[in-house]
Amino acid sequence: MIVFPAAAQVKTVTLHPLINDLVKKIGGEKVDNIDLIGETGDPHHFEPSAEQLRQTTGRQLYFLSGKGLESYLPSLRNIIKEPARIIEVGETLPTIEGGCATCDHEHEGHDDHAAHEEEHDDLADPHWWHSIENFRRAARVIEKELATTDAANAAFYKKSADEYVGKLEELERWVRREIATIPKNRRHLATAHDAFAYFCKDYGFTAYPVQGINREQLPDAKKLGSLIAELKKNQVAAIFPEKESNPKILTSLTKETGIKLGAALSADGTNSASYEEMVRNNVSAIVTGLKP
Ligand SMILES: [Zn+2]
């Protein structure tokens, strides 16, 4: 007699690489997931195709990041019908506003500041995952949604969420120990796109993003001039490129300022084997680049 393993209880779909990791961690064998974005997908620009969505017919839960990251969400809501549900995992997590709140260094001249703020309006910064506390809360969001859909296995989801949250707490202790080796006056994080505001807030860094929230915006000559002045004034020790967004402007910035180029960071979870791996790589790169 052939004994088949028990079929997974919940059929899910994930649309963000880090949430894909989270659903695997919490759902384990009880969840049969289709990861639509894939390891190399850029969550700022990914959009599921009609064919991909057809392949998900009959799935119960669609997990995405939220906070405005997925511009296709309104059209997805038209396609995905009840009883299937779309879960914006980041929706209930604390928000940092885009624009000025994400670069909380002082702007020279108040007019500039006001214009800068207006430009961004009150957009949420979607990169909530760079706060480990947010990621812990996200684990509970996934646990709750899976348990609601599959009440018979609620205890299973709770146990795996408890275990994973414990791992995240351990990860955060490691991050704090590592960051403690960077003197406070050296906690300046200059990066490619504006993705690390949540990290900067949690660990007392000032953010100097060269690009905007979405990877493609580049500063004009005037903004670039004031950015260079600020980097020099604050004796910023390194400028960090990204695995996925590495504009030529970073190289010219390092030439112009004499500031060294750090190791590449991962901003959006693309090409990271797991959330934990992304955090460990980023923190190691930052510590190596900024430690005296
Ligand atoms: Zn990003």
mmCIF file with all atom_site columns, all heavy atoms in Angstrom, residues 44 69 127 129 193-195 213-215 267-268, ligand 1:
data_model
loop_
_atom_site.group_PDB
_atom_site.id
_atom_site.type_symbol
_atom_site.label_atom_id
_atom_site.label_alt_id
_atom_site.label_comp_id
_atom_site.label_asym_id
_atom_site.label_entity_id
_atom_site.label_seq_id
_atom_site.pdbx_PDB_ins_code
_atom_site.Cartn_x
_atom_site.Cartn_y
_atom_site.Cartn_z
_atom_site.occupancy
_atom_site.B_iso_or_equiv
_atom_site.pdbx_formal_charge
_atom_site.auth_seq_id
_atom_site.auth_comp_id
_atom_site.auth_asym_id
_atom_site.auth_atom_id
_atom_site.pdbx_PDB_model_num
ATOM   1   N  N   . HIS A 1 44  ? 9.301  46.472 -6.787 1.00 0.00 ? 44  HIS A N   1
ATOM   2   C  CA  . HIS A 1 44  ? 8.833  47.806 -7.190 1.00 0.00 ? 44  HIS A CA  1
ATOM   3   C  C   . HIS A 1 44  ? 8.196  47.784 -8.574 1.00 0.00 ? 44  HIS A C   1
ATOM   4   O  O   . HIS A 1 44  ? 7.365  48.613 -8.894 1.00 0.00 ? 44  HIS A O   1
ATOM   5   C  CB  . HIS A 1 44  ? 9.988  48.812 -7.220 1.00 0.00 ? 44  HIS A CB  1
ATOM   6   C  CG  . HIS A 1 44  ? 10.442 49.211 -5.869 1.00 0.00 ? 44  HIS A CG  1
ATOM   7   N  ND1 . HIS A 1 44  ? 9.719  50.032 -5.054 1.00 0.00 ? 44  HIS A ND1 1
ATOM   8   C  CD2 . HIS A 1 44  ? 11.554 48.880 -5.167 1.00 0.00 ? 44  HIS A CD2 1
ATOM   9   C  CE1 . HIS A 1 44  ? 10.366 50.213 -3.912 1.00 0.00 ? 44  HIS A CE1 1
ATOM   10  N  NE2 . HIS A 1 44  ? 11.488 49.521 -3.953 1.00 0.00 ? 44  HIS A NE2 1
ATOM   11  N  N   . LEU A 1 69  ? 3.255  49.611 -2.186 1.00 0.00 ? 69  LEU A N   1
ATOM   12  C  CA  . LEU A 1 69  ? 4.339  49.065 -3.013 1.00 0.00 ? 69  LEU A CA  1
ATOM   13  C  C   . LEU A 1 69  ? 3.807  48.495 -4.322 1.00 0.00 ? 69  LEU A C   1
ATOM   14  O  O   . LEU A 1 69  ? 4.413  48.681 -5.370 1.00 0.00 ? 69  LEU A O   1
ATOM   15  C  CB  . LEU A 1 69  ? 5.091  47.970 -2.234 1.00 0.00 ? 69  LEU A CB  1
ATOM   16  C  CG  . LEU A 1 69  ? 6.281  47.340 -2.959 1.00 0.00 ? 69  LEU A CG  1
ATOM   17  C  CD1 . LEU A 1 69  ? 7.384  48.370 -3.178 1.00 0.00 ? 69  LEU A CD1 1
ATOM   18  C  CD2 . LEU A 1 69  ? 6.840  46.150 -2.176 1.00 0.00 ? 69  LEU A CD2 1
ATOM   19  N  N   . HIS A 1 127 ? 9.170  50.209 2.608  1.00 0.00 ? 127 HIS A N   1
ATOM   20  C  CA  . HIS A 1 127 ? 10.229 49.254 2.998  1.00 0.00 ? 127 HIS A CA  1
ATOM   21  C  C   . HIS A 1 127 ? 10.183 48.861 4.472  1.00 0.00 ? 127 HIS A C   1
ATOM   22  O  O   . HIS A 1 127 ? 11.202 48.822 5.156  1.00 0.00 ? 127 HIS A O   1
ATOM   23  C  CB  . HIS A 1 127 ? 11.603 49.850 2.673  1.00 0.00 ? 127 HIS A CB  1
ATOM   24  C  CG  . HIS A 1 127 ? 11.786 50.198 1.232  1.00 0.00 ? 127 HIS A CG  1
ATOM   25  N  ND1 . HIS A 1 127 ? 11.466 51.422 0.714  1.00 0.00 ? 127 HIS A ND1 1
ATOM   26  C  CD2 . HIS A 1 127 ? 12.251 49.463 0.206  1.00 0.00 ? 127 HIS A CD2 1
ATOM   27  C  CE1 . HIS A 1 127 ? 11.726 51.446 -0.595 1.00 0.00 ? 127 HIS A CE1 1
ATOM   28  N  NE2 . HIS A 1 127 ? 12.205 50.255 -0.929 1.00 0.00 ? 127 HIS A NE2 1
ATOM   29  N  N   . TRP A 1 129 ? 10.022 46.153 6.011  1.00 0.00 ? 129 TRP A N   1
ATOM   30  C  CA  . TRP A 1 129 ? 10.726 44.929 6.432  1.00 0.00 ? 129 TRP A CA  1
ATOM   31  C  C   . TRP A 1 129 ? 12.108 45.206 7.010  1.00 0.00 ? 129 TRP A C   1
ATOM   32  O  O   . TRP A 1 129 ? 12.684 44.341 7.642  1.00 0.00 ? 129 TRP A O   1
ATOM   33  C  CB  . TRP A 1 129 ? 10.821 43.936 5.275  1.00 0.00 ? 129 TRP A CB  1
ATOM   34  C  CG  . TRP A 1 129 ? 11.360 44.550 4.001  1.00 0.00 ? 129 TRP A CG  1
ATOM   35  C  CD1 . TRP A 1 129 ? 12.670 44.716 3.672  1.00 0.00 ? 129 TRP A CD1 1
ATOM   36  C  CD2 . TRP A 1 129 ? 10.590 45.096 2.906  1.00 0.00 ? 129 TRP A CD2 1
ATOM   37  N  NE1 . TRP A 1 129 ? 12.771 45.334 2.441  1.00 0.00 ? 129 TRP A NE1 1
ATOM   38  C  CE2 . TRP A 1 129 ? 11.515 45.576 1.950  1.00 0.00 ? 129 TRP A CE2 1
ATOM   39  C  CE3 . TRP A 1 129 ? 9.212  45.215 2.651  1.00 0.00 ? 129 TRP A CE3 1
ATOM   40  C  CZ2 . TRP A 1 129 ? 11.110 46.170 0.751  1.00 0.00 ? 129 TRP A CZ2 1
ATOM   41  C  CZ3 . TRP A 1 129 ? 8.818  45.811 1.465  1.00 0.00 ? 129 TRP A CZ3 1
ATOM   42  C  CH2 . TRP A 1 129 ? 9.746  46.281 0.526  1.00 0.00 ? 129 TRP A CH2 1
ATOM   43  N  N   . HIS A 1 193 ? 19.009 53.491 -3.529 1.00 0.00 ? 193 HIS A N   1
ATOM   44  C  CA  . HIS A 1 193 ? 17.630 53.994 -3.440 1.00 0.00 ? 193 HIS A CA  1
ATOM   45  C  C   . HIS A 1 193 ? 17.181 54.114 -1.991 1.00 0.00 ? 193 HIS A C   1
ATOM   46  O  O   . HIS A 1 193 ? 17.821 53.627 -1.074 1.00 0.00 ? 193 HIS A O   1
ATOM   47  C  CB  . HIS A 1 193 ? 16.676 53.246 -4.364 1.00 0.00 ? 193 HIS A CB  1
ATOM   48  C  CG  . HIS A 1 193 ? 15.997 52.022 -3.825 1.00 0.00 ? 193 HIS A CG  1
ATOM   49  N  ND1 . HIS A 1 193 ? 16.656 50.844 -3.584 1.00 0.00 ? 193 HIS A ND1 1
ATOM   50  C  CD2 . HIS A 1 193 ? 14.692 51.801 -3.518 1.00 0.00 ? 193 HIS A CD2 1
ATOM   51  C  CE1 . HIS A 1 193 ? 15.771 49.948 -3.169 1.00 0.00 ? 193 HIS A CE1 1
ATOM   52  N  NE2 . HIS A 1 193 ? 14.582 50.497 -3.106 1.00 0.00 ? 193 HIS A NE2 1
ATOM   53  N  N   . ASP A 1 194 ? 16.097 54.820 -1.817 1.00 0.00 ? 194 ASP A N   1
ATOM   54  C  CA  . ASP A 1 194 ? 15.667 55.262 -0.487 1.00 0.00 ? 194 ASP A CA  1
ATOM   55  C  C   . ASP A 1 194 ? 14.923 54.124 0.224  1.00 0.00 ? 194 ASP A C   1
ATOM   56  O  O   . ASP A 1 194 ? 13.712 54.177 0.364  1.00 0.00 ? 194 ASP A O   1
ATOM   57  C  CB  . ASP A 1 194 ? 14.755 56.489 -0.689 1.00 0.00 ? 194 ASP A CB  1
ATOM   58  C  CG  . ASP A 1 194 ? 14.475 57.191 0.617  1.00 0.00 ? 194 ASP A CG  1
ATOM   59  O  OD1 . ASP A 1 194 ? 14.952 56.718 1.667  1.00 0.00 ? 194 ASP A OD1 1
ATOM   60  O  OD2 . ASP A 1 194 ? 13.777 58.214 0.588  1.00 0.00 ? 194 ASP A OD2 1
ATOM   61  N  N   . ALA A 1 195 ? 15.662 53.111 0.660  1.00 0.00 ? 195 ALA A N   1
ATOM   62  C  CA  . ALA A 1 195 ? 15.017 51.898 1.163  1.00 0.00 ? 195 ALA A CA  1
ATOM   63  C  C   . ALA A 1 195 ? 15.264 51.632 2.640  1.00 0.00 ? 195 ALA A C   1
ATOM   64  O  O   . ALA A 1 195 ? 14.669 50.728 3.200  1.00 0.00 ? 195 ALA A O   1
ATOM   65  C  CB  . ALA A 1 195 ? 15.501 50.692 0.348  1.00 0.00 ? 195 ALA A CB  1
ATOM   66  N  N   . ILE A 1 213 ? 12.442 56.561 -3.695 1.00 0.00 ? 213 ILE A N   1
ATOM   67  C  CA  . ILE A 1 213 ? 11.858 55.332 -3.144 1.00 0.00 ? 213 ILE A CA  1
ATOM   68  C  C   . ILE A 1 213 ? 11.879 54.164 -4.139 1.00 0.00 ? 213 ILE A C   1
ATOM   69  O  O   . ILE A 1 213 ? 11.975 53.016 -3.768 1.00 0.00 ? 213 ILE A O   1
ATOM   70  C  CB  . ILE A 1 213 ? 10.393 55.628 -2.702 1.00 0.00 ? 213 ILE A CB  1
ATOM   71  C  CG1 . ILE A 1 213 ? 10.392 56.536 -1.463 1.00 0.00 ? 213 ILE A CG1 1
ATOM   72  C  CG2 . ILE A 1 213 ? 9.588  54.379 -2.482 1.00 0.00 ? 213 ILE A CG2 1
ATOM   73  C  CD1 . ILE A 1 213 ? 10.458 55.855 -0.133 1.00 0.00 ? 213 ILE A CD1 1
ATOM   74  N  N   . ASN A 1 214 ? 11.753 54.468 -5.430 1.00 0.00 ? 214 ASN A N   1
ATOM   75  C  CA  . ASN A 1 214 ? 11.542 53.414 -6.432 1.00 0.00 ? 214 ASN A CA  1
ATOM   76  C  C   . ASN A 1 214 ? 12.736 52.991 -7.257 1.00 0.00 ? 214 ASN A C   1
ATOM   77  O  O   . ASN A 1 214 ? 12.594 52.396 -8.301 1.00 0.00 ? 214 ASN A O   1
ATOM   78  C  CB  . ASN A 1 214 ? 10.485 53.854 -7.440 1.00 0.00 ? 214 ASN A CB  1
ATOM   79  C  CG  . ASN A 1 214 ? 9.138  53.878 -6.814 1.00 0.00 ? 214 ASN A CG  1
ATOM   80  O  OD1 . ASN A 1 214 ? 8.846  53.050 -5.961 1.00 0.00 ? 214 ASN A OD1 1
ATOM   81  N  ND2 . ASN A 1 214 ? 8.326  54.828 -7.212 1.00 0.00 ? 214 ASN A ND2 1
ATOM   82  N  N   . ARG A 1 215 ? 13.904 53.373 -6.875 1.00 0.00 ? 215 ARG A N   1
ATOM   83  C  CA  . ARG A 1 215 ? 15.118 53.018 -7.593 1.00 0.00 ? 215 ARG A CA  1
ATOM   84  C  C   . ARG A 1 215 ? 15.403 53.870 -8.821 1.00 0.00 ? 215 ARG A C   1
ATOM   85  O  O   . ARG A 1 215 ? 16.543 53.957 -9.237 1.00 0.00 ? 215 ARG A O   1
ATOM   86  C  CB  . ARG A 1 215 ? 15.141 51.546 -8.067 1.00 0.00 ? 215 ARG A CB  1
ATOM   87  C  CG  . ARG A 1 215 ? 15.146 50.543 -6.935 1.00 0.00 ? 215 ARG A CG  1
ATOM   88  C  CD  . ARG A 1 215 ? 15.328 49.150 -7.517 1.00 0.00 ? 215 ARG A CD  1
ATOM   89  N  NE  . ARG A 1 215 ? 15.133 48.124 -6.501 1.00 0.00 ? 215 ARG A NE  1
ATOM   90  C  CZ  . ARG A 1 215 ? 15.222 46.836 -6.729 1.00 0.00 ? 215 ARG A CZ  1
ATOM   91  N  NH1 . ARG A 1 215 ? 15.516 46.398 -7.936 1.00 0.00 ? 215 ARG A NH1 1
ATOM   92  N  NH2 . ARG A 1 215 ? 15.040 45.962 -5.766 1.00 0.00 ? 215 ARG A NH2 1
ATOM   93  N  N   . ALA A 1 267 ? 18.140 45.597 -0.743 1.00 0.00 ? 267 ALA A N   1
ATOM   94  C  CA  . ALA A 1 267 ? 17.128 46.517 -0.215 1.00 0.00 ? 267 ALA A CA  1
ATOM   95  C  C   . ALA A 1 267 ? 15.731 45.934 -0.176 1.00 0.00 ? 267 ALA A C   1
ATOM   96  O  O   . ALA A 1 267 ? 14.959 46.193 0.730  1.00 0.00 ? 267 ALA A O   1
ATOM   97  C  CB  . ALA A 1 267 ? 17.130 47.790 -1.045 1.00 0.00 ? 267 ALA A CB  1
ATOM   98  N  N   . ASP A 1 268 ? 15.391 45.135 -1.181 1.00 0.00 ? 268 ASP A N   1
ATOM   99  C  CA  . ASP A 1 268 ? 14.001 44.701 -1.340 1.00 0.00 ? 268 ASP A CA  1
ATOM   100 C  C   . ASP A 1 268 ? 13.831 43.187 -1.243 1.00 0.00 ? 268 ASP A C   1
ATOM   101 O  O   . ASP A 1 268 ? 12.784 42.657 -1.597 1.00 0.00 ? 268 ASP A O   1
ATOM   102 C  CB  . ASP A 1 268 ? 13.457 45.190 -2.686 1.00 0.00 ? 268 ASP A CB  1
ATOM   103 C  CG  . ASP A 1 268 ? 13.500 46.708 -2.799 1.00 0.00 ? 268 ASP A CG  1
ATOM   104 O  OD1 . ASP A 1 268 ? 13.182 47.373 -1.800 1.00 0.00 ? 268 ASP A OD1 1
ATOM   105 O  OD2 . ASP A 1 268 ? 13.869 47.216 -3.869 1.00 0.00 ? 268 ASP A OD2 1
HETATM 106 ZN ZN  . ZN  B 2 .   ? 12.922 49.396 -2.588 1.00 0.00 ? 1   ZN  B ZN  1
#
